[in-house]
C-alpha cells in the first residue's frame, strides 16, 4: 500500500511539473505571439506613414480625403497587396488614385448608371453569401456589345464594385463574383470588357476579389476563356466552373439564394 501510494505521489509530481512546463511554454508562446503582432502592427503603421509622407511630398496634385493620398486605410491595403514594398505600393497607389479621379468614381450614382443597369446584366445581390461576402452577379447573356457606349458598361461595373465593397461586414475584405453563363452565345462575347474588368480588379481594387464562379458555362464559352485566361494572369486561379446546384447548396442558404438561381 505504501509503495503504491509513493508511486502515485511520484507520478502526480511528475505530471504537475510537466503541466507547469506546458503552461510556462504556452505562456511564453502567447507572449511571443502578442509581441509579434504588436511588432507587425507598429511596422505596418510606420510604413503607412512613410507612404503618406512621400505622397504628400512628391504627389501634391493627387486628391486627399477618402480614397485619396492621405487615406491610411487605402494605403495599408495597397501595402498588403504589394507585400509591404513601399516603392511598389506607391507606384500602384498613385495610378489607382489618378484613375479614380479621372474616372470620377465618387460621382457615380444609381442615376448615372441607369441605362446599363436596366438591362439586368449585372447587380449586387441583396444578401451576403455563406462566408459573409458581398456578391456581384453578372448575366453575360443580357450583354450585347455595341448596344450601349462601352463607357456606360464600365461605369456600371465600377459602381457595382463600390456598392459591393460598401456592404463589407466587419472582418470581411473581399467579394464574390458570379457569372451566370446560362444562355450565353457568341453574340455576347466581349473580350475588351472582360479584360477591362480584370484590369480594374488588378490595378484599382487589388485583392478585393475572393472568388469567381462561372455557372453552367456552355461549350462555346470554353475557347473564349482559354483565350482570355492568359490576359487575366493570377486572377485565373480565382475562377471556379460550377453548376447552379453548387451555387444553391454551397454558397447560399434557402433564404438568401438569388432569385434567378432558385429551382
Amino acid at each position: 500500500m505504501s509503495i503504491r501510494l509513493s508511486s502515485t505521489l511520484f507520478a502526480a509530481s511528475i505530471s504537475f511539473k510537466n503541466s507547469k512546463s506546458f503552461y510556462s511554454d504556452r505562456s511564453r508562446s502567447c507572449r511571443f505571439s502578442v509581441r509579434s503582432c504588436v511588432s507587425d502592427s507598429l511596422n505596418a503603421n510606420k510604413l503607412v506613414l512613410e507612404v503618406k509622407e512621400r505622397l504628400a511630398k512628391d504627389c501634391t496634385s493627387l486628391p486627399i480625403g477618402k480614397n485619396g493620398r492621405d487615406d491610411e486605410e487605402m494605403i495599408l491595403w495597397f501595402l498588403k497587396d504589394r507585400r509591404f514594398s513601399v516603392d511598389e505600393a506607391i507606384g500602384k497607389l498613385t495610378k489607382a488614385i489618378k484613375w479614380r479621379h479621372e474616372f470620377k468614381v465618387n460621382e457615380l450614382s444609381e442615376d448615372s448608371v441607369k441605362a446599363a443597369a436596366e438591362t439586368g446584366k449585372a447587380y449586387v445581390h441583396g444578401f451576403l453569401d455563406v462566408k459573409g461576402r458581398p456578391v456581384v452577379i453578372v448575366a453575360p447573356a443580357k450583354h450585347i456589345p455595341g448596344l450601349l457606349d462601352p463607357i456606360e458598361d464600365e461605369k456600371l461595373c465600377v459602381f457595382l464594385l463600390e456598392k459591393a465593397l460598401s456592404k463589407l461586414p466587419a472582418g470581411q475584405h473581399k467579394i464574390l463574383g458570379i457569372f451566370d453563363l446560362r444562355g450565353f452565345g457568341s453574340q455576347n462575347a466581349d473580350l475588351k470588357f472582360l479584360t477591362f474588368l480584370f484590369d480594374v480588379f488588378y490595378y484599382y481594387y487589388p485583392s478585393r476579389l475572393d472568388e469567381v464562379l462561372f455557372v453552367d458555362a456552355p461549350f462555346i464559352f470554353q475557347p473564349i476563356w482559354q483565350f482570355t485566361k492568359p490576359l487575366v494572369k493570377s486572377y485565373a486561379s480565382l475562377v471556379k466552373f460550377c453548376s447552379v446546384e453548387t451555387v444553391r447548396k454551397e454558397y447560399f442558404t434557402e433564404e438568401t439564394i438569388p432569385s434567378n438561381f432558385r429551382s
Side-chain angles (χ1 to χ4, degrees):
M1 176 72 178
S2 175
I3 293 175
R4 286 200 300 269
L5 182 59
S6 297
S7 298
T8 301
L9 291 173
F10 177 74
S13 174
I14 294 296
S15 176
F16 178 69
K17 289 179 181 178
N18 288 341
S19 176
K20 287 204 316 184
S21 174
F22 169 77
Y23 283 109
S24 176
D25 289 344
R26 185 175 180 182
S27 177
R28 284 196 296 271
S29 176
C30 288
R31 288 198 299 271
F32 176 78
S33 178
V34 170
R35 285 199 299 269
S36 177
C37 289
V38 171
S39 177
D40 289 346
S41 179
L42 289 174
N43 286 335
N45 288 338
K46 183 179 178 181
L47 293 177
V48 167
L49 291 177
E50 181 180 344
V51 171
K52 189 176 176 180
E53 289 171 0
R54 284 179 56 176
L55 289 176
K57 178 183 177 182
D58 303 328
C59 305
T60 55
S61 62
L62 292 180
I64 58 175
K66 184 172 175 56
N67 296 312
R69 59 179 167 83
D70 60 342
D71 185 332
E72 295 185 2
E73 183 178 349
M74 187 179 184
I75 291 173
L76 178 59
W77 190 259
F78 275 75
L79 276 168
K80 288 179 179 178
D81 174 67
R82 295 293 86 194
R83 297 178 178 83
F84 289 95
S85 167
V86 169
D87 289 337
E88 289 185 20
I90 287 176
K92 199 167 184 178
L93 187 57
T94 300
K95 181 175 181 177
I97 295 173
K98 285 181 178 177
W99 171 81
R100 291 185 66 90
H101 180 65
E102 293 168 358
F103 199 85
K104 299 181 179 178
V105 175
N106 294 337
E107 297 179 21
L108 294 176
S109 65
E110 297 281 357
D111 285 339
S112 68
V113 300
K114 186 176 181 180
E118 286 181 341
T119 65
K121 67 178 70 178
Y123 62 95
V124 174
H125 184 43
F127 296 94
L128 305 178
D129 78 339
V130 293
K131 293 184 179 180
R133 299 173 296 191
V135 183
V136 176
I137 298 177
V138 182
K142 296 181 179 181
H143 174 66
I144 307 297
L147 184 63
L148 295 173
D149 187 323
I151 191 63
E152 297 303 319
D153 291 322
E154 293 175 5
K155 286 180 178 179
L156 176 63
C157 168
V158 176
F159 174 76
L160 293 179
L161 290 180
E162 288 285 316
K163 184 176 181 179
L165 292 173
S166 72
K167 292 179 176 292
L168 286 169
Q172 181 59 265
H173 306 287
K174 300 186 179 186
I175 67 176
L176 169 68
I178 300 180
F179 284 73
D180 181 0
L181 291 165
R182 290 172 294 177
F184 177 88
S186 58
Q187 72 277 11
N188 306 119
D190 192 343
L191 296 179
K192 183 178 180 181
F193 178 74
L194 190 58
T195 303
F196 165 81
L197 177 61
F198 281 97
D199 277 350
V200 163
F201 274 111
Y202 179 78
Y203 292 110
Y204 314 130
Y205 297 90
S207 304
R208 290 297 193 183
L209 189 59
D210 196 32
E211 191 176 6
V212 178
L213 304 182
F214 282 169
V215 184
D216 281 356
F219 179 77
I220 194 173
F221 182 76
Q222 299 299 328
I224 294 174
W225 172 240
Q226 290 306 314
F227 178 81
T228 310
K229 193 174 180 180
L231 302 178
V232 301
K233 303 171 185 175
S234 61
Y235 276 93
S237 64
L238 303 181
V239 171
K240 175 182 177 180
F241 285 81
C242 67
S243 66
V244 170
E245 188 69 11
T246 297
V247 174
R248 282 199 293 257
K249 290 185 175 181
E250 298 183 14
Y251 290 87
F252 299 95
T253 64
E254 185 61 34
E255 293 74 26
T256 64
I257 300 172
S259 58
N260 51 318
F261 289 110
R262 292 185 179 277
S263 53

